[in-house]
């Protein structure tokens, strides 16, 4: 699991480095939203991997420590589908309203949208924290528990509130993806629209839909895990590993593929980044004798 995290972190690190080393991406809302999702997913993977490993080693963790990890993991996990919706809307405006795109989609407005996304994703769980602080004694936060959300935020009302918010959130994201896909599909049939650009945008939104479907697996994964545990009673660790890999790792692995490989502009600068690293590595490995000959 740590090896998988290291590989994906290396890829994400290359994407982030490519973005910040080239000012051409700084003013483009598309790449700003993309790099925000990459950083968000990198944080989510780092936190969940850390929690995953600590749970295997220590089994029980301090409640305060666990609370911090759970909140960050929930914020970033919920942020992924909201980011997908915002990126789909940006593609819709670029294809269907190209004349208004420079006025609607600016770098400043993009950062405002990112701030709103974090507020929307964090607000429901911040209230859960306040309710827990008000209902639980201070001694509870010094105890050790198996670090699950229901073991920290135990009030059943919070679970119902969380389910209602997640259903509304994912429904809005799903409807946004369907709307933008259909609008771009209809626009692709228009003579005034760049068909190649529309086709690429449509394929991108389809991949966003695949990511969203994989993100939604997190809602049924606990039930599936229980059923598989009944079928394979001695394989709980393997079941949890496979569940985590499919539900949390694979959706985050799609982001580099969608933009790092498919997007020609970003792919070009990404190749330059790797070539630069390769040249530096060769210079570092040159022996003193080779330097004298040079």
């Amino acid at each position: 699991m740590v090896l998988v995290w290291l590989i994906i972190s290396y890829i994400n690190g290359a994407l982030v480095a490519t973005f910040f080393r080239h000012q051409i991406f700084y003013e483009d809302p598309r790449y700003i939203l993309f790099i925000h999702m990459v950083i968000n997913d990198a944080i989510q993977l780092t936190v969940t991997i850390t929690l995953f490993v600590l749970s295997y080693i220590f089994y029980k963790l301090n409640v305060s420590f666990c609370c911090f990890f759970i909140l960050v993991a929930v914020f970033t996990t919920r942020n992924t589908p909201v980011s997908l919706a915002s990126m789909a809307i940006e593609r819709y405006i670029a294809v269907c309203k190209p004349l208004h795109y420079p006025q609607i989609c600016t770098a400043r407005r993009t950062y405002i949208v990112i701030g709103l996304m974090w507020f929307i994703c964090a607000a429901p769980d911040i209230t859960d924290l306040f309710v827990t602080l008000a209902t639980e004694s201070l001694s509870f936060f010094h105890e050790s528990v198996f670090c699950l959300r229901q073991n920290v935020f135990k009030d059943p009302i919070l679970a119902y509130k969380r389910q209602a918010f997640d259903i509304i959130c994912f429904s809005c994201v799903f409807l946004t993806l369907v709307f933008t896909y259909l609008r771009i599909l209809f626009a692709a049939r228009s003579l005034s629209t760049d068909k190649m650009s529309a086709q690429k945008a449509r394929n991108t939104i389809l991949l966003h839909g695949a990511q969203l479907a994989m993100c939604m697996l997190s809602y049924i994964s606990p039930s599936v895990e229980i059923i598989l545990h009944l079928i394979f009673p001695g394989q709980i660790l393997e079941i949890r590993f496979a569940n985590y890999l499919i539900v949390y790792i694979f959706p985050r692995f799609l982001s580099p593929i969608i933009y790092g490989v498919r997007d020609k502009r970003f792919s070009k600068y990404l190749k330059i980044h790797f070539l630069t690293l390769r040249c530096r590595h060769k210079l570092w490995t040159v022996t003193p004798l080779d330097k004298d000959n040079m």
Side-chain angles (χ1 to χ4, degrees):
M1 183 63 72
V2 174
L3 180 61
V4 172
W5 169 73
L6 287 173
I7 293 171
I8 296 179
S9 295
Y10 176 79
I11 296 172
N12 288 338
L15 296 173
V16 173
T18 301
F19 176 86
F20 284 108
R21 286 180 179 176
H22 302 282
Q23 293 186 356
I24 190 174
F25 300 124
Y26 289 5
E27 298 297 322
D28 194 325
R30 181 183 185 186
Y31 297 106
I32 294 172
L33 290 171
F34 162 64
I35 211 64
H36 163 257
M37 190 169 70
V38 170
I39 294 171
N40 175 81
D41 289 351
I43 295 171
Q44 194 269 351
L45 283 175
T46 301
V47 171
T48 52
I49 284 286
T50 303
L51 190 58
F52 194 84
V53 172
L54 290 176
S55 296
Y56 265 97
I57 297 173
F58 300 107
Y59 189 73
K60 290 186 176 182
L61 301 175
N62 178 268
V63 171
S64 300
F65 190 70
C66 175
C67 188
F68 169 77
F69 272 89
I70 288 176
L71 287 176
V72 176
V74 170
F75 295 164
T76 50
T77 300
R78 188 176 286 145
N79 209 338
T80 298
V82 179
S83 297
L84 293 175
S86 64
M87 294 169 76
I89 293 171
E90 185 274 334
R91 286 293 83 201
Y92 157 72
I93 297 172
V95 173
C96 299
K97 299 182 182 296
L99 298 178
H100 301 287
Y101 182 84
Q103 290 78 33
I104 298 174
C105 297
T106 62
R108 181 176 177 274
R109 288 183 177 179
T110 304
Y111 288 118
I112 292 173
V113 168
I114 290 173
L116 288 174
M117 284 193 292
W118 277 98
F119 175 78
I120 292 171
C121 295
D125 296 287
I126 292 295
T127 58
D128 289 359
L129 177 61
F130 289 151
V131 170
T132 303
L133 288 170
T135 55
E136 298 289 345
S137 62
L138 288 176
S139 60
F140 170 71
F141 294 93
H142 297 287
E143 297 176 5
S144 295
V145 297
F146 185 70
C147 197
L148 292 175
R149 194 169 178 174
Q150 58 266 30
N151 292 341
V152 177
F153 305 109
K154 297 187 290 185
D155 194 322
I157 297 177
L158 298 179
Y160 292 127
K161 178 181 72 69
R162 184 168 61 247
Q163 289 174 1
F165 180 84
D166 287 336
I167 290 171
I168 294 171
C169 179
F170 272 88
S171 298
C172 291
V173 172
F174 175 76
L175 292 174
T176 300
L177 292 180
V178 171
F179 171 78
T180 53
Y181 177 79
L182 292 176
R183 293 289 293 178
I184 291 173
L185 181 64
F186 295 144
R189 298 177 180 178
S190 172
L191 295 175
S192 60
T193 304
D194 183 356
K195 287 182 168 51
M196 185 62 68
S197 176
Q199 183 180 359
K200 288 182 178 180
R202 194 174 71 237
N203 292 338
T204 299
I205 292 175
L206 278 177
L207 288 172
H208 286 338
Q211 279 184 286
L212 178 66
M214 297 183 78
C215 289
M216 291 178 72
L217 290 175
S218 61
Y219 293 96
I220 63 171
S221 62
S223 301
V224 173
E225 190 173 300
I226 292 171
I227 294 171
L228 290 176
H229 182 48
L230 294 174
I231 300 173
F232 307 102
Q235 307 293 326
I236 185 62
L237 295 180
E238 289 78 4
I239 291 170
R240 285 179 180 172
F241 174 79
N243 179 50
Y244 183 80
L245 200 65
I246 294 170
V247 174
Y248 293 99
I249 297 293
F250 285 169
R252 274 79 193 172
F253 187 70
L254 283 177
S255 297
I257 296 174
I258 291 175
Y259 283 92
V261 178
R262 290 182 68 249
D263 187 89
K264 290 184 179 180
R265 181 191 293 181
F266 202 90
S267 178
K268 171 187 172 183
Y269 287 99
L270 187 62
K271 288 177 183 177
I272 293 173
H273 171 74
F274 282 118
L275 286 173
T276 303
L277 290 179
R278 186 177 178 183
C279 292
R280 287 179 180 176
H281 177 71
K282 286 184 177 181
L283 288 175
W284 290 338
T285 55
V286 171
T287 63
L289 183 60
D290 293 333
K291 290 182 179 179
D292 292 337
N293 292 333
M294 292 170 64

